[in-house]
Amino acid sequence: MFALFSLCALFPMPDRSQFLYKHIAKTGGGTVKAVLHMTHKNQIDQNIFIKKEREVSSESDRQRAFIVSNVRNPCEFYVSLWAFGCSGHGLFNSVLRREHPEAADVYSSPYNHSNFARFLGLAAGEFSRRYHDYLPGMPVDCWIHTETLAWDLIHCMGVFHKQGGKLSNVPTAEFIERVSTHGTEHEPCASYYTPELSDLVLRKDSAVFAWFPEYHNTCCMQVHNPNTSFVTSGSNSASVLLNSTL
């Protein structure tokens, strides 16, 4: 008993009572942040914390927090990132204009497919880089997929609660789906991709496809059943498609 007490004193169990949301841009993070602020305003910066796009979350954060972040199909990400630039927004798009002034006109219209192809030639690999730089080692306990955002957010809150985390409430899927931010104007994802462009993303962002096998190495996807949710819990690539019961 004494030895056990001594070990506990020397190596205390981590207190993971905090809910930490790590924002990855253009994956639905604006909506998640809005929902958290609207439904848990009094808990923000108390036991609910939000890390911005360019803040790093590492394994050390898991000693104190249950970490949640977003992911989406990489091909969908590039369409959203490009369309955001076409609307005149986004730091990445400002940097691309500065570093490649000859390509500034790729943002002339979100309906110009040849411009998207030129943009993708410059941007492919950016999605994987964001996870490499801002989530080194992928220390995430629960993933929110953009394709099933409402159900995954509910699931992640439920997992946090079951592990002893304190939340004042869990919003309904209907409420979450009414909250929409940073929408961009563009055509369906698949309309922009030729087989060659799909292969480019599959190659440049192979790390994301390998980590999230639920995307099955496919470019652009639709989730037709709103009552199902992709869930990846823990910092490994095991993933299942399951019915949301929360």
Side-chain angles (χ1 to χ4, degrees):
M1 181 68 73
F2 176 76
L4 178 61
F5 174 80
S6 299
L7 286 173
C8 290
L10 289 172
F11 304 103
M13 293 296 291
D15 175 13
R16 302 184 68 218
S17 59
Q18 299 178 9
F19 184 100
L20 191 155
Y21 173 67
K22 173 65 186 88
H23 183 195
I24 298 293
K26 307 314 297 172
T27 60
T31 297
V32 174
K33 291 191 297 181
V35 169
L36 291 175
H37 278 283
M38 294 169 70
T39 59
H40 297 82
K41 181 172 63 175
N42 294 331
Q43 291 184 255
I44 299 295
D45 295 330
Q46 299 298 319
N47 76 313
I48 296 178
F49 296 86
I50 298 172
K51 282 206 169 184
K52 299 177 182 178
E53 295 176 25
R54 287 169 179 80
E55 290 184 294
V56 176
S57 284
S58 62
E59 191 65 36
S60 62
D61 287 327
R62 299 189 77 215
Q63 297 301 308
R64 61 180 178 82
F66 179 87
I67 302 178
V68 176
S69 191
N70 282 75
V71 69
R72 75 186 303 178
N73 184 285
C75 293
E76 301 268 3
F77 164 81
Y78 289 110
V79 172
S80 180
L81 181 65
W82 172 67
F84 200 49
C86 290
S87 67
H89 298 94
L91 177 60
F92 175 82
N93 302 305
S94 297
V95 172
L96 188 144
R97 285 187 177 97
R98 185 173 66 249
E99 294 183 351
H100 301 277
E102 76 286 356
D105 62 338
V106 299
Y107 295 111
S108 61
S109 167
Y111 301 103
N112 188 315
H113 292 201
S114 62
N115 279 353
F116 173 75
R118 293 170 58 211
F119 164 82
L120 190 63
L122 296 170
E126 170 65 14
F127 197 39
S128 294
R129 184 196 67 80
R130 295 184 180 202
Y131 290 99
H132 179 271
D133 290 356
Y134 304 130
L135 276 170
M138 302 287 263
V140 175
D141 295 284
C142 197
W143 290 97
I144 299 172
H145 298 70
T146 308
E147 297 85 359
T148 50
L149 187 149
W151 295 101
D152 286 0
L153 177 55
I154 291 170
H155 173 84
C156 291
M157 287 181 162
V159 173
F160 174 66
H161 176 72
K162 289 176 182 177
Q163 294 184 5
K166 304 298 182 184
L167 293 173
S168 58
N169 65 81
V170 175
T172 65
E174 290 75 18
F175 175 85
I176 297 170
E177 288 166 355
R178 288 198 300 268
V179 179
S180 178
T181 61
H182 298 303
T184 52
E185 179 183 356
H186 56 75
E187 295 177 6
C189 173
S191 68
Y192 295 99
Y193 281 91
T194 63
E196 292 76 19
L197 292 180
S198 296
D199 288 343
L200 175 64
V201 176
L202 291 170
R203 185 174 70 255
K204 290 287 190 176
D205 289 285
S206 59
V208 174
F209 285 105
W211 193 266
F212 299 98
E214 57 267 38
Y215 291 126
H216 301 299
N217 288 331
T218 58
C219 206
C220 303
M221 64 184 298
Q222 296 294 327
V223 176
H224 298 292
N225 184 353
N227 296 315
T228 60
S229 176
F230 286 119
V231 176
T232 306
S233 295
S235 57
N236 58 58
S237 61
S239 179
V240 295
L241 180 66
L242 49 79
N243 290 322
S244 176
T245 58
L246 297 173

